[in-house]
Amino acid sequence: MIALVRRRIGNPTTTDVADAVITGHINDAYEEIRDKFKHTRGRKREQFTTTASVGRYKISDVTEVVYKAWDRTNDRELTYVGINTLTEEDFDDALIGKPLKFARFEDFVQLLPVPDGAYVIELYLKEFFTAMVGVNDVPDLPSAWHRGVCILASFNYYDVDGGDAVKSAYHMQVYKNWLSDKPVEAHEETEGIDSGVELPSLGRAITKSLDFDHS
């Protein structure tokens, strides 16, 4: 990827532009694309088992977002409760039972009510961004998106270090053109699901109605 960015910015030598500088721009582009588009990379599931009368459970140190939670013991999705909507009752440790809701506080989740026994809880998480370091590192994105990372990194170079507004604008336009018809994994999966759904036509709906109304 460093070699591709070098080609896009005129093949400067490592003396003129160090690998570390280009890697920095690649990481900036990688992080932006990773956060802006719904790729399945960087997501994971993790489970833990509750203990009776314990409501708080530490989550992985690399967790950035907790998307969803399930009580797998009872096959029930837990309702997310935002910090601003928590009530005094939610903090009452005397209220125990099967977990119904969850809230996120920094490095732990709070189950509501406090579990009254052992339940397997599963979380769907987004992990924090991890920057690339070595010259052979690749972003944890679908390979089809690697070229976009390099184009955006080239824009970052001209915008910050290259000091060339014209080339900066050019690479941004190339990036937007490349991005315009680029599918995202989550979108493709949704389209795949929708493609199997047969929608009734107006003609069929009218025919069915007439068949029923014999008058």
Side-chain angles (χ1 to χ4, degrees):
M1 296 187 75
I2 292 175
L4 180 56
V5 174
R6 283 193 181 280
R7 280 163 46 198
R8 297 195 65 88
I9 64 175
N11 283 315
T13 65
T14 54
T15 302
D16 294 331
V17 181
D19 280 345
V21 172
I22 295 180
T23 300
H25 293 309
I26 291 174
N27 278 323
D28 289 342
Y30 168 26
E31 183 175 16
E32 180 176 336
I33 289 175
R34 180 181 181 272
D35 287 344
K36 187 173 291 184
F37 301 98
K38 294 181 179 179
H39 298 290
T40 57
R41 312 295 177 91
R43 272 72 165 169
K44 72 171 186 175
R45 294 175 182 267
E46 81 177 25
Q47 292 185 344
F48 61 87
T49 302
T50 64
T51 302
S53 300
V54 177
R56 295 184 178 186
Y57 295 88
K58 192 176 187 307
I59 53 180
S60 172
D61 291 334
V62 297
T63 301
E64 180 177 6
V65 180
V66 178
Y67 290 119
K68 290 189 176 184
W70 295 268
D71 171 3
R72 290 305 185 192
T73 301
N74 295 290
D75 291 327
R76 173 193 297 132
E77 182 177 346
L78 304 185
T79 301
Y80 170 75
V81 182
I83 295 176
N84 294 331
T85 59
L86 286 169
T87 65
E88 184 176 349
E89 185 180 71
D90 289 328
F91 288 96
D92 187 353
D93 291 338
L95 296 176
I96 63 173
K98 294 180 181 180
L100 300 174
K101 301 183 287 186
F102 78 99
R104 161 82 185 276
F105 297 91
E106 297 185 356
D107 62 345
F108 69 90
V109 292
Q110 173 79 42
L111 299 181
L112 312 165
V114 174
D116 59 357
Y119 300 93
V120 176
I121 304 299
E122 182 172 333
L123 304 177
Y124 181 47
L125 312 169
K126 176 184 178 183
E127 296 180 314
F128 279 112
F129 167 75
T130 301
M132 296 182 291
V133 179
V135 295
N136 294 319
D137 288 353
V138 294
D140 190 19
L141 294 171
S143 57
W145 281 75
H146 293 182
R147 181 169 177 265
V149 171
C150 293
I151 297 171
L152 186 56
S154 302
F155 159 79
N156 291 340
Y157 168 77
Y158 283 118
D159 186 53
V160 178
D161 294 315
D164 192 321
V166 174
K167 291 182 179 180
S168 174
Y170 166 77
H171 279 84
M172 176 51 67
Q173 188 58 53
V174 171
Y175 173 68
K176 288 181 178 179
N177 291 342
W178 175 87
L179 195 63
S180 63
D181 61 351
K182 199 69 188 165
V184 180
E185 288 167 304
H187 297 165
E188 287 186 305
E189 289 173 357
T190 302
E191 290 172 0
I193 293 172
D194 291 343
S195 66
V197 177
E198 184 177 357
L199 298 177
S201 66
L202 181 59
R204 288 177 60 189
I206 292 174
T207 302
K208 185 175 183 180
S209 176
L210 292 174
D211 288 342
F212 178 81
D213 185 3
H214 297 292
S215 64

